[in-house]
Amino acid sequence: MGDAIRAPVIGAIVGLERVQAGVAYNPFSARTIEDPYPAYAALRARAPVYRSRLLRAWVFTRHVDVDAILRDHRHFGNDPRKGSLTRRQLAMLPPPREFTMLLLDPPDHTRLRALVSRAFTPRAISGLESRVRTILGGLLDDIDDPSAFDLMEAVARPLPVIVMAEMLGVPARDRARFAVWAARRARLLEPTISWRERKAGGAASRAFDAYFRPIIAERRAAPREDIVSALARAQDEGARLSEQETINMLRLLLGAGTETSANLIGNGILALLRNPDQLQRLRDDPGLIPAAVEELLRFDSSVQTDFRRVLEDCEVNGFALRKRDNIVLLLGAANRDPDVFVDPDRLDIGRRQGRHLSFGGGIHHCLGAPLARLESRIVLEMLLDRFKSIRLLDSRPRFSRGIVFRGLQSLPLSCIRA
């Protein structure tokens, strides 16, 4: 259904919900994409458990509810086939054998996570620090004119792509293709995806798979020091990843290790530049940078929305849910819940209380969280060291059209070298 037809239909549904419930949530509106937090606050205050006709789902915004659902894999699952989907939505799903770990429930998820986690440990990620610094230093050196450049294009997008490409053993000559595959596949998770984008995402998936199948076979025969080799060798009591399962894991790492990190860097720098007092605190005390990364994750998460399906009838804080109901978890709303975070709409890089949900929770807690934290910390450290002045060239940079991922299309900056 084209946008010209869809817009009036969405408007009618949202208008009806506002009349009946006194509040409405339209994640597709330009205003919400630009700044979703006022809509989140209204939902939390008036309808913290909200039945959305538009999304055909229950929408949760309170930290306590979102956290509880993320941790309860007995009553809530990730497999989309277990929800109440239309025929059109079911037709758009990949074949089950191509499901990444993100869309699987126990016991399949448990087996795959046990195998993969051995190849993607926080200890292994910490060993990448020197290499990440070298890559970032080269990207910063390549900025011809620091008085006018796009941080997303120069740093935020290429850094995680190069890091993940190297972790997977992708040679430098193939990074450009790798970056295109990552961007096009990320759109497959968005309800806002167009038919053209879905076609491009499918083509990117097939190209990605064709690229890695011979590499997987090669690594099994002659392992190297990369994640593909680790996945190819991973075993648990005699069980090992099949070729397709290995491909699926590489697909997941492609998205988790690139799109989310790029958006975290861009959103974080924008938040600091809009709060110059907090940026100055970092300059005065660089020891605050690890805490600042956590606060930036909370303040404007690169992943705003997660989904679950009800596996059996249950209740959440007195609200009855039925088997196969669809659940939308607004992580960005939970991260600004005033019951958990004092003055939640204020950026405070020294914040100590509360636990953000930007990496999800429970058995599906983001595998790439240590890498995202590492890259973001190093970007902050090196930008502040490299530039004595950083300012926005556009006070209202545009966000990409999405409700799952929140990230900037561009972030024009003007910097003065230290």
Side-chain angles (χ1 to χ4, degrees):
M1 182 163 47
D3 289 342
I5 300 175
R6 181 166 48 196
V9 174
I10 291 175
I13 294 173
V14 171
L16 178 62
E17 291 185 351
R18 182 171 287 109
V19 169
Q20 293 181 339
V23 64
Y25 174 55
N26 179 8
F28 308 109
S29 75
R31 179 182 297 180
T32 303
I33 289 171
E34 174 70 20
D35 181 6
Y37 297 104
Y40 292 164
L43 284 177
R44 268 197 323 267
R46 301 176 191 172
V49 182
Y50 172 67
R51 181 63 182 175
S52 171
R53 289 183 175 85
L54 182 61
L55 302 179
R56 298 169 58 89
W58 291 97
V59 179
F60 289 83
T61 51
R62 289 186 301 200
H63 188 285
V64 63
D65 297 335
V66 173
D67 188 38
I69 292 171
L70 287 172
R71 292 171 177 275
D72 184 354
H73 65 267
R74 185 168 74 88
H75 292 102
F76 304 98
N78 277 38
D79 189 334
R81 296 169 300 173
K82 297 176 182 178
S84 178
L85 300 181
T86 65
R87 288 184 180 179
R88 181 173 179 271
Q89 289 170 326
L90 285 169
M92 290 191 296
L93 293 175
R97 69 184 184 88
E98 295 185 11
F99 279 11
T100 68
M101 195 167 63
L102 188 67
L103 300 180
L104 292 174
D105 297 330
D108 293 328
H109 175 274
T110 307
R111 178 179 66 87
L112 293 176
R113 179 112 185 181
L115 287 165
V116 173
S117 61
R118 299 177 185 183
F120 207 76
T121 64
R123 182 176 181 180
I125 299 303
S126 66
L128 294 171
E129 177 155 354
S130 176
R131 183 57 188 150
V132 172
R133 289 185 181 277
T134 299
I135 294 169
L136 178 56
L139 293 173
L140 293 174
D141 290 341
D142 288 342
I143 298 174
D144 294 329
D145 182 7
S147 67
F149 72 99
D150 179 4
L151 184 78
M152 300 303 295
E153 179 182 349
V155 172
R157 291 196 186 98
L159 175 64
V161 166
I162 294 172
V163 171
M164 183 54 63
E166 290 192 356
M167 292 177 70
L168 298 182
V170 175
R173 66 178 180 272
D174 292 332
R175 286 175 188 163
R177 285 194 289 169
F178 195 76
V180 171
W181 294 336
R184 290 179 177 173
R185 276 195 48 77
R187 286 295 300 163
L188 293 174
L189 294 175
E190 288 288 356
T192 57
I193 190 171
S194 67
W195 174 85
R196 189 183 301 275
E197 289 173 320
R198 184 169 296 282
K199 186 177 180 180
S205 296
R206 291 189 293 274
F208 179 87
D209 294 0
Y211 180 89
F212 274 103
R213 287 189 193 281
I215 294 177
I216 292 169
E218 177 187 312
R219 297 296 196 273
R220 280 183 173 160
R224 300 182 187 178
E225 291 299 319
D226 59 36
I227 286 184
V228 180
S229 297
L231 291 175
R233 297 195 310 266
Q235 294 191 36
D236 183 19
E237 297 181 357
R240 65 188 305 174
L241 296 174
S242 67
E243 180 190 59
Q244 186 60 54
E245 288 172 336
T246 304
I247 287 285
N248 295 346
M249 273 309 311
L250 295 176
R251 287 181 176 184
L252 181 58
L253 294 177
L254 172 69
T258 56
E259 189 73 14
T260 53
S261 293
N263 291 341
L264 171 57
I265 292 168
N267 295 357
I269 297 300
L270 176 62
L272 286 170
L273 292 174
R274 285 177 167 173
N275 293 270
D277 61 318
Q278 298 302 299
L279 180 60
Q280 188 59 49
R281 284 181 72 186
L282 279 188
R283 288 193 181 277
D284 294 341
D285 184 2
L288 286 172
I289 287 178
V293 170
E294 299 306 312
E295 174 66 351
L296 294 170
L297 278 161
R298 180 200 71 83
F299 187 76
D300 200 7
S301 174
S302 58
V303 179
Q304 289 282 310
T305 308
D306 205 349
F307 305 92
R308 293 291 186 272
R309 285 86 196 171
V310 180
L311 302 179
E312 57 183 70
D313 292 357
C314 60
E315 287 190 358
V316 174
N317 270 346
F319 286 88
L321 302 174
R322 297 289 175 255
K323 183 177 180 179
R324 303 190 71 84
D325 280 353
N326 297 319
I327 301 290
V328 172
L329 303 172
L330 296 181
L331 306 180
N335 284 343
R336 294 207 187 185
D337 189 335
D339 288 341
V340 177
F341 305 98
V342 175
D343 199 2
D345 294 324
R346 179 173 63 88
L347 183 70
D348 176 7
I349 63 169
R351 189 183 295 274
R352 291 286 183 257
Q353 91 290 350
R355 178 176 58 84
H356 68 73
L357 301 177
S358 298
F359 290 125
I363 62 173
H364 285 280
H365 184 270
C366 180
L367 198 65
L371 180 58
R373 286 185 167 107
L374 176 72
E375 291 171 342
S376 300
R377 173 174 62 80
I378 292 174
V379 167
L380 286 177
E381 290 173 356
M382 293 186 68
L383 280 180
L384 295 179
D385 182 66
R386 182 74 63 106
F387 302 116
K388 64 181 179 181
S389 172
I390 306 173
R391 65 181 181 86
L392 289 170
L393 288 179
D394 182 352
S395 62
R396 296 189 63 184
R398 294 182 61 187
F399 282 85
S400 299
R401 184 174 59 92
I403 68 172
V404 175
F405 296 118
R406 176 166 167 79
L408 292 159
Q409 295 181 15
S410 64
L411 185 58
L413 299 182
S414 179
C415 300
I416 300 174
R417 289 193 174 97

